[in-house]
Amino acid sequence: MGQTGLGLYSIEELAWYLYHNVCLIERRFFDEKLCQWLDDELGEKELARRVRSGIDSRSNLSNLVILVVGASDLYTGQEMTELKEKIKSLGTMQEQERLKLRADELLDGGSDWAAMDEYRHILKMHQNNRLGMAFYSAVWHNLGVCYARQFLFEQAAECFETAYEYKPDEDTERQAELARSLAAGPPRAQEQRRSDYGNAQKKLLQWEQEYRRRQKQA
């Protein structure tokens, strides 16, 4: 699928991608190149016509997503209803919440650098007091996870420490301490400290475990 760089080769694969990544989809995803791909590559001429019609009439993003996902027959009526509700809920969110959801999806998918850009973008915006301290703590925490995955432990520690300032949490405090330990590196003269450093490296999975726990509770 040329215009997005996605390796999609069927309507089912496109529907699966949209269904599972709806938070990442922007209005510009639906363009003439997509219609041409549907028409020429897949032979989905009627679907291409309907998508073109939706684009020309400035149909909202929700309608376009539902149109394409529904054309695959992959999902049950209940699943389609849930998708509609999810898209509807996105429309009621504050901009920062939508951006975080997008960043979280990217982070879950392993796109660490793209997620980092989104988290940093949120933090550059005017702080929205309606979202509360816990929201910004979670943004800083997840940005710390991004840095830790890239072995940028100094930056990770700063993020975890800031997250703790927004919302004190024992797990976040431990992660900040671990990141500081890893950032310092293994002292050459102290074998015991070197051993501690090695143990700290083994604990990198704690970031992943904590991140997953937080996502389930969100």
Side-chain angles (χ1 to χ4, degrees), residues 133-150:
M133 304 293 274
F135 173 83
Y136 287 98
S137 175
V139 173
W140 278 106
H141 176 273
N142 291 358
L143 181 57
V145 171
C146 292
Y147 280 122
R149 285 184 177 181
Q150 302 302 319

Side-chain angles (χ1 to χ4, degrees), residues 170-182:
E170 290 183 0
D171 290 329
T172 302
E173 186 177 29
R174 284 195 295 269
Q175 289 171 335
E177 292 172 354
L178 176 58
R180 284 293 176 199
S181 175
L182 290 167

Side-chain angles (χ1 to χ4, degrees), residues 24-203:
L24 305 180
I25 304 303
E26 298 178 351
R27 185 65 171 72
R28 61 185 178 182
F29 181 91
F30 295 90
D31 60 8
E32 179 55 28
K33 289 184 179 180
L34 173 64
C35 295
Q36 290 178 356
W37 181 75
L38 290 170
D39 195 340
D40 300 338
E41 298 296 327
L42 301 188
E44 296 281 350
K45 297 186 181 299
E46 177 59 20
L47 179 58
R49 184 194 66 78
R50 295 177 66 188
V51 172
R52 280 194 182 96
S53 177
I55 293 172
D56 292 341
S57 64
R58 300 186 180 279
S59 181
N60 62 44
L61 179 62
S62 174
N63 291 339
L64 292 170
V65 171
I66 295 299
L67 173 61
V68 174
V69 174
S72 71
D73 293 327
L74 278 179
Y75 300 100
T76 65
Q78 178 62 33
E79 289 172 323
M80 291 300 293
T81 298
E82 292 172 357
L83 178 60
K84 291 177 183 178
E85 289 300 317
K86 184 174 184 179
I87 297 174
K88 182 179 178 181
S89 69
L90 290 174
T92 65
M93 290 181 177
Q94 300 289 310
E95 182 181 5
Q96 293 92 330
E97 290 178 299
R98 293 195 300 272
L99 289 171
K100 181 180 178 297
L101 201 55
R102 175 184 173 86
D104 292 347
E105 294 276 5
L106 289 167
L107 185 56
D108 282 340
S111 300
D112 301 337
W113 290 103
M116 288 165 68
D117 286 341
E118 295 289 350
Y119 291 129
R120 286 191 293 240
H121 178 57
I122 295 170
L123 296 171
K124 289 178 182 177
M125 299 171 69
H126 177 73
Q127 185 163 316
N128 188 331
N129 293 330
R130 293 175 60 184
L131 297 176
M133 304 293 274
F135 173 83
Y136 287 98
S137 175
V139 173
W140 278 106
H141 176 273
N142 291 358
L143 181 57
V145 171
C146 292
Y147 280 122
R149 285 184 177 181
Q150 302 302 319
F151 302 99
L152 300 171
F153 300 119
E154 183 71 28
Q155 294 93 324
E158 292 174 359
C159 289
F160 290 132
E161 288 165 357
T162 304
Y164 183 84
E165 290 175 5
Y166 274 92
K167 183 183 177 183
D169 178 87
E170 290 183 0
D171 290 329
T172 302
E173 186 177 29
R174 284 195 295 269
Q175 289 171 335
E177 292 172 354
L178 176 58
R180 284 293 176 199
S181 175
L182 290 167
R188 295 180 180 178
Q190 302 180 37
E191 292 299 325
Q192 182 61 45
R193 292 282 305 278
R194 183 180 290 115
S195 175
D196 291 343
Y197 177 79
N199 291 334
Q201 286 182 305
K202 295 178 183 179
K203 294 179 181 179

